[in-house]
Amino acid sequence: MSSSPTSWTTPLIFHGTFIHSISPKEVDIILNGLLVVSQQGKIVFLRRNVPAPDVKKLLRFLPGLPNLSDSPVRFLTRGEFLIPGFVDTHNHAPQWTQRGMGRGLLIMDWLNKVTFPHEAKFEDPEYARQTYASCVDGFIKQGVTTAAYYGSLHGEATKILADTCLEKGQRALVGKCCMVRNAPDFYRDKTNKESLEVTEDFIAHVKSIDPSGLLVQPILTPRFAICCDEELLAGIGDIASKHRDMMIQTHFNEAKQEVAVTKELFPQFENEADLYEHFGLFNNRTIMAHCIYPDDYEIGRIKACDVGVAHCPVSNTTGGEWGAAPIRRYLDMGIKVGLGTDSGGGFSSSILDASRQAFIISLGRELMTDGKEQRLTLWECFYLATLGGAKVCCLADKIGTFETGKDFDALEVTTLLDDGQSSLVEEDDSVADIFEKFLMTGDDRNIAKVFVMGRSIKKSKQ
């Protein structure tokens, strides 16, 4: 199995509208753009304001490139555009088939009654193979070009997840879930030693199938502090110290019940930030999911340690509690924030749904704070879905925008559908109007193609 990028005889060339975020507040709408993707899947040329009749002429004389005037060009029409691929910063792959279950249950009841029994099924490799194939295809269909996946605690099943992502061409961070307590006997690592050894073996497997980490990388995944003891957290921290570039993911201030139980189990720490930082798991390579209830001190540590926040607005508002994370405050402080579907704590596998719910929750925060934390704009929600998520995953040097030199991870979007779902495009709509209609009413039917490193990976009949 190889992760070498697919090569083509000619580059990919697009002309039309391209839309990407420059910052949380600024969206760049490129009109009459000309974009060239190399045979290795990298953006090698981008220019705006190129009249369509001039494209072939310009392609003869691109700096540093051969004459491309005879190469096929995809001319995007009005109502069609390219955007960067969506980044899902928090996703439980084993929960793919339990989405929507257990609504209204507090977190510990939900884990014990619904989630742990379901995740235990992944002891069966064939079940894992079938489920993960459906899962990865499903997220690709929704335009998720990059996902940070929790696997189950099973080493073999998590290897299958990594293999599946690589085979289907999705960029992914994949982690074996570590957990030794506060879970049923049938679903926990037997010992800390076993948990760490299986983790090390999984890391070795991922490095063997994708040595350069071009698409798939391992990510250290303690489920959360409640399911780990000090010895296990210390062991995971030791692995992190040996692999300085390896990402880390876990949950943080997800629910009031979770915060209270964590404090009971680790009374020596005043808060979760100090707990994770003590074990070397709270740094610029860390993705902390949820981050709903941190106090000023913890927010300060998130900023100081350059920790990334995975905002999961769907699951945060449809479980046993209603939670609204202070995303406006995070963004204003320059904290890295992206979106997570939190499938199956969240009922939807759509980053578009997460983006819309992030907007709705921000309205709630504005009311809760008497206007001190202003609502998010739709442009900011789009940023969270793309460049913000890339920053959280420490991949912004590779993906998230259409800058030259980056990998071409992108979605070809069409709003030219009369399906009764997405808003119809009218003659007097501006490009910004069309884009807003897609953000608020579009779904996977509007995502015509999904590209990762220049390779088209969405099944044509999904």
Side-chain angles (χ1 to χ4, degrees), residues 336-386:
K336 299 180 296 189
V337 186
L339 291 177
T341 59
D342 196 17
S343 174
F347 59 78
S348 172
S349 58
S350 168
I351 286 290
L352 282 171
D353 282 349
S355 173
R356 295 161 191 155
Q357 192 73 355
F359 175 72
I360 294 167
I361 283 185
S362 74
L363 298 176
R365 286 293 304 191
E366 188 175 59
L367 288 172
M368 292 163 60
T369 61
D370 294 324
K372 292 179 182 177
E373 294 182 24
Q374 294 185 350
R375 69 190 65 180
L376 301 178
T377 67
L378 290 183
W379 298 157
E380 287 172 316
C381 293
F382 175 64
Y383 166 85
L384 297 181
T386 54

Side-chain angles (χ1 to χ4, degrees), residues 392-419:
V392 168
C393 293
C394 295
L395 291 169
D397 61 327
K398 294 183 178 181
I399 61 170
T401 67
F402 292 131
E403 296 171 67
T404 56
K406 288 191 175 183
D407 292 343
F408 185 65
D409 287 18
L411 310 180
E412 182 181 314
V413 176
T414 178
T415 57
L416 307 179
L417 302 175
D418 185 7
D419 56 11

Side-chain angles (χ1 to χ4, degrees), residues 227-367:
C227 283
C228 303
D229 60 20
E230 292 184 45
E231 182 183 19
L232 181 55
L233 291 174
I236 298 170
D238 286 343
I239 297 173
S241 68
K242 290 189 295 184
H243 300 276
R244 291 291 181 178
D245 294 331
M246 192 173 297
M247 296 292 293
I248 304 158
Q249 62 182 351
T250 192
H251 300 77
F252 186 90
N253 278 248
E254 178 179 1
K256 292 178 180 178
Q257 184 188 45
E258 175 263 320
V259 173
V261 174
T262 302
K263 209 145 195 182
E264 291 175 6
L265 293 171
F266 297 91
Q268 68 273 41
F269 297 104
E270 289 293 323
N271 53 70
E272 291 185 27
D274 286 349
L275 188 164
Y276 288 114
E277 191 171 358
H278 174 80
F279 292 107
L281 301 172
F282 202 78
N283 54 49
N284 66 319
R285 296 171 287 136
T286 303
I287 303 172
M288 285 294 183
H290 306 294
C291 302
I292 301 173
Y293 303 107
D295 58 23
D296 289 345
Y297 172 80
E298 288 183 293
I299 293 175
R301 295 313 299 160
I302 290 172
K303 171 62 177 175
C305 297
D306 197 24
V307 168
V309 173
H311 180 36
C312 305
V314 174
S315 63
N316 293 348
T317 52
T318 59
E321 297 179 8
W322 192 92
I327 302 303
R328 164 60 61 210
R329 188 172 178 189
Y330 294 153
L331 290 177
D332 288 350
M333 291 177 65
I335 290 171
K336 299 180 296 189
V337 186
L339 291 177
T341 59
D342 196 17
S343 174
F347 59 78
S348 172
S349 58
S350 168
I351 286 290
L352 282 171
D353 282 349
S355 173
R356 295 161 191 155
Q357 192 73 355
F359 175 72
I360 294 167
I361 283 185
S362 74
L363 298 176
R365 286 293 304 191
E366 188 175 59
L367 288 172

Side-chain angles (χ1 to χ4, degrees), residues 19-204:
I19 305 173
H20 63 171
S21 291
I22 302 299
S23 70
K25 296 183 180 296
E26 184 181 2
V27 168
D28 185 19
I29 298 178
I30 300 171
L31 301 178
N32 289 311
L34 180 63
L35 185 147
V36 180
V37 180
S38 73
Q39 293 96 323
Q40 291 73 40
K42 291 191 177 296
I43 300 169
V44 293
F45 182 83
L46 174 64
R47 182 176 295 179
R48 63 186 70 219
N49 299 321
V50 178
D54 294 348
V55 168
K56 290 292 184 178
K57 179 180 177 181
L58 181 60
L59 288 173
R60 294 178 186 170
F61 306 107
L62 297 184
L65 294 173
N67 183 344
L68 298 174
S69 59
D70 292 330
S71 300
V73 179
R74 171 71 170 99
F75 287 93
L76 301 169
T77 63
R78 187 173 183 274
E80 298 176 321
F81 49 88
L82 295 180
I83 61 174
F86 294 141
V87 180
D88 188 344
T89 61
H90 184 66
N91 185 317
H92 291 268
Q95 297 174 19
W96 172 249
T97 58
Q98 70 170 73
R99 286 169 295 154
M101 295 179 63
R103 299 305 85 186
L105 292 176
L106 292 178
I107 184 169
M108 298 309 295
D109 288 336
W110 178 77
L111 288 170
N112 284 296
K113 294 180 180 179
V114 179
T115 301
F116 292 155
H118 180 78
E119 291 192 11
K121 296 179 182 179
F122 287 80
E123 184 176 10
D124 178 357
E126 186 55 36
Y127 179 82
R129 190 167 288 106
Q130 292 177 3
T131 304
Y132 286 150
S134 172
C135 172
V136 175
D137 279 341
F139 281 101
I140 291 172
K141 178 180 179 179
Q142 303 281 356
V144 174
T145 53
T146 298
Y149 284 120
Y150 284 60
S152 65
L153 63 79
H154 310 100
E156 185 62 28
T158 310
K159 290 178 183 178
I160 291 169
L161 174 58
D163 293 346
T164 302
C165 294
L166 188 63
E167 290 165 3
K168 294 182 179 293
Q170 186 184 49
R171 194 182 299 272
L173 306 172
V174 181
K176 171 258 186 291
C177 198
C178 297
M179 45 189 294
V180 293
R181 63 173 176 172
N182 291 312
D185 289 341
F186 63 80
Y187 191 64
R188 67 171 77 173
D189 293 313
K190 302 307 180 209
T191 64
N192 290 325
K193 183 174 182 290
E194 176 190 85
S195 186
L196 296 170
E197 287 178 348
V198 174
T199 296
E200 293 270 27
D201 179 64
F202 171 73
I203 291 170

